[in-house]
């Protein structure tokens, strides 16, 4: 386990309890909502009881890494919260409410910020989550093809 990483994540959680935070997500699990190296996520502290299906939340994984993850809630039931990345089909959960530390409130892209309360964002998020069982192959293929260079095509 990388203890430096855990310490950094703990500092993020402590800060989040008092202030909104802006983070730059890594990886492609939330592609196309977040493109690594380009987009920022604005996160606010929230009580887990106020969360609903479709919300994107920051939570700590209960595995040997303890990393913080930004994924979408795809289901909530008596056992807890179930999460999925926008570029994933495998559901993670159930997670206890104590694992959740914040909720996405805005996305910053190329210097412009849009709220997750925007009606267009809400509609696209709803449809995206609804299509989860069939969307993975298309997104993965598109993502892979977009990053190919002529050398890859030989």
């Amino acid at each position: 386990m990388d203890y430096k990483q855990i310490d950094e994540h703990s500092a993020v959680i402590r800060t989040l309890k008092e202030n909104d935070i802006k983070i730059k997500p890594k990886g492609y699990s939330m592609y196309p909502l977040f493109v690594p190296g380009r987009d920022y996520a604005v996160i606010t502290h929230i009580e887990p009881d106020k969360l609903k299906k479709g919300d994107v939340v920051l939570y700590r994984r209960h595995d040997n890494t303890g990393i913080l993850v930004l994924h979408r809630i795809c289901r909530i039931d008596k056992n807890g919260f179930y999460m999925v990345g926008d570029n994933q089909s495998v559901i993670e959960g159930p997670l206890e409410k104590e694992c959740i530390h914040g909720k996405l409130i805005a996305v910053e892209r190329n210097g412009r910020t849009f709220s997750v309360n925007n009606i267009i964002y809400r509609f696209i998020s709803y449809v995206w989550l609804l299509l989860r069982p069939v969307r993975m192959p298309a997104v993965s293929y598109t993502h892979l093809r977009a990053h190919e260079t002529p050398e890859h095509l030989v």
Side-chain angles (χ1 to χ4, degrees), residues 1-118:
M1 181 181 299
D2 184 350
Y3 290 103
K4 181 179 179 213
Q5 184 179 35
I6 296 296
D7 290 344
E8 289 171 1
H9 291 164
S10 296
V12 166
I13 293 168
R14 281 193 305 276
T15 302
L16 187 55
K17 290 181 179 177
E18 298 177 10
N19 302 294
D20 292 351
I21 61 171
K22 184 166 83 169
I23 61 173
K24 194 175 250 189
K26 299 176 182 177
Y28 282 90
S29 69
M30 286 300 290
Y31 180 85
L33 177 60
F34 291 106
V35 174
R38 180 187 74 182
D39 302 331
Y40 287 91
V42 181
I43 311 291
T44 194
H45 178 74
I46 190 166
E47 294 301 320
D49 297 336
K50 296 181 180 179
L51 294 168
K52 59 187 178 300
K53 179 180 176 179
D55 287 340
V56 175
V57 297
L58 183 69
Y59 64 95
R60 185 185 296 271
R61 231 178 225 152
H62 278 305
D63 59 11
N64 61 351
T65 65
I67 65 170
L68 291 173
V69 180
L70 191 65
H71 279 172
R72 190 175 305 279
I73 298 172
C74 65
R75 185 172 80 233
I76 304 170
D77 66 19
K78 64 181 172 75
N79 297 316
F81 294 86
Y82 295 82
M83 310 296 185
V84 67
D86 283 356
N87 193 26
Q88 297 177 327
S89 59
V90 176
I91 296 173
E92 181 178 351
L95 296 172
E96 301 164 345
K97 64 182 179 179
E98 293 78 21
C99 297
I100 298 173
H101 299 287
K103 175 187 169 187
L104 179 72
I105 57 170
V107 175
E108 185 179 307
R109 176 172 297 144
N110 299 324
R112 297 182 64 198
T113 303
F114 63 90
S115 168
V116 297
N117 293 323
N118 176 295

